[in-house]
Amino acid sequence: MLFRQLFDRETATYTYLLADEQNGEAVMIDPVSHQLERDLKLLNELNLTLRYSLETHVHADHVTSSGALSAWTGAAIGVSEAAGVKCAHLPLTEGGVIPFGRYRLRVLATPGHTHTCASYLLDDQMVFTGDALLIRGTGRSDFQSGDAVQLYRSITGKLFTLADHVRVYPGHDYHGFTMSTIGEEKAHNPRLAGKSEGAFVAIMNGLNLPAPKHIHEALPGNMQCGLNVGLPLPDMDHLEVDVAWLQAHRAKVRVVDVRDRGEFEGDLGHVDGARLMPAADLTHLAAPLAKHAPLVVVCRSGRRSLAAAKLLRKQGFTRVWSLAGGMLAWRSAPRERVTV
Ligand SMILES: [Fe+2]
């Protein structure tokens, strides 16, 4: 299995990339909004197809990039059902299975840091614990829907029932650790080793931590899969975006080209990463795309794409625009750096 542990220094957040290198199907866990370009570039370089973008919970300290990752790659967003995140495609519950290639992640409900926290178990080998179990620590339980008793029971009654050899990959680390094992945390986690429920609750109640710095932007941002962050979308009163807008936001929107294959592969070429969906088959081909992810439709001159954008809006796509001037305008505009 291909495995990458990615780190965001600003928020000390780990993002995990797992993939079956045989067929290239991949899963990301807890992607961070300001690392979107890094993550898209990596997926591209490793030639991976992102199937799922999963959250361990609705984060209070950073904003997810799941909405933009989904817009770009078509990945389904998975968040605990109880979180009520409307832009998620997969409402996850205990025992749920997330397949990618030859592998499976199993959902373990591990509430307590928040009441919707999930951990993901890979084949009794690795567990991604989010902010429930950290290395030599735990997530806090004093805001959102945290509950120290619930956290103690999730860890001791569920995570600590896994085999001792299972490797623990947390959502954050502030001390330079990268991984641990269930056995190691049972023996050495100072909040848990030899501690009763009452002792644990007393420790948690005595922490007196300051509120996370970005909580007021992070929570509403994450309830919208991060789609309202870093992507100033044009007004829905407009049906078109111009070339400069698409150049500036290329990494964060999906581009659908409604010409036929001959034009798509012809002299004018196509926008890098665009998906070919000829106008005649558009209704059928676009059906599986996420309805709320930003989408720009392209054709040769902008006329067919305008009609296609209107059609897609009628079909329930809420963030779709046509590229004014089409490929003729795209090709004649000064080329800016294409980041992905
Ligand atoms: Fe958290």
Side-chain angles (χ1 to χ4, degrees), residues 37-54:
E37 290 192 12
R38 175 198 71 186
D39 296 345
L40 284 169
K41 190 163 183 283
L42 183 61
L43 288 166
N44 206 30
E45 287 169 349
L46 299 179
N47 200 21
L48 300 175
T49 305
L50 192 66
R51 290 280 177 238
Y52 300 101
S53 174
L54 306 177

Side-chain angles (χ1 to χ4, degrees), residues 66-269:
S66 64
L69 273 177
S70 172
W72 178 263
T73 65
I77 300 170
V79 189
S80 166
E81 182 176 39
V85 174
K86 292 199 172 63
C87 44
H89 309 98
L90 279 185
L92 302 173
T93 52
E94 171 73 21
V97 171
I98 295 138
F100 59 104
R102 294 164 294 162
Y103 303 100
R104 305 273 178 278
L105 283 172
R106 191 152 62 83
V107 180
L108 305 175
T110 48
H113 168 60
T114 71
H115 78 293
T116 65
C117 286
S119 297
Y120 300 102
L121 178 66
L122 182 92
D123 293 341
D124 283 325
Q125 294 298 323
M126 306 162 95
V127 66
F128 300 90
T129 54
D131 296 0
L133 179 61
L134 304 179
I135 299 171
R136 306 300 190 266
T138 66
R140 59 199 288 183
S141 55
D142 59 334
F143 64 84
Q144 283 178 279
S145 49
D147 180 329
V149 171
Q150 211 177 31
L151 183 59
Y152 184 84
R153 292 177 185 174
S154 288
I155 296 172
T156 58
K158 196 169 281 180
L159 294 172
F160 281 2
T161 66
L162 300 173
D164 282 354
H165 69 261
V166 172
R167 298 196 294 279
V168 172
Y169 290 96
H172 297 283
D173 189 82
Y174 306 96
H175 308 288
F177 295 118
T178 54
M179 60 152 283
S180 181
T181 66
I182 291 293
E184 204 179 305
E185 291 310 308
K186 279 200 281 203
H188 302 296
N189 192 310
R191 294 188 187 174
L192 297 152
K195 297 285 194 300
S196 66
E197 185 175 291
F200 177 79
V201 171
I203 291 171
M204 297 307 286
N205 288 344
L207 290 177
N208 289 322
L209 297 166
K213 259 191 284 180
H214 303 295
I215 188 167
H216 297 297
E217 309 99 78
L219 289 180
N222 287 322
M223 290 305 287
Q224 296 176 63
C225 299
L227 278 172
N228 61 342
V229 175
L231 185 62
L233 291 172
D235 203 297
M236 280 300 287
D237 291 344
H238 300 291
L239 269 160
E240 291 179 311
V241 293
D242 60 18
V243 168
W245 189 93
L246 185 57
Q247 283 178 330
H249 299 96
R250 180 62 196 97
K252 296 177 180 176
V253 298
R254 167 172 282 195
V255 174
V256 164
D257 193 315
V258 293
R259 295 173 299 165
D260 63 36
R261 183 169 292 281
E263 294 175 274
F264 188 77
E265 290 169 357
D267 291 348
L268 276 177

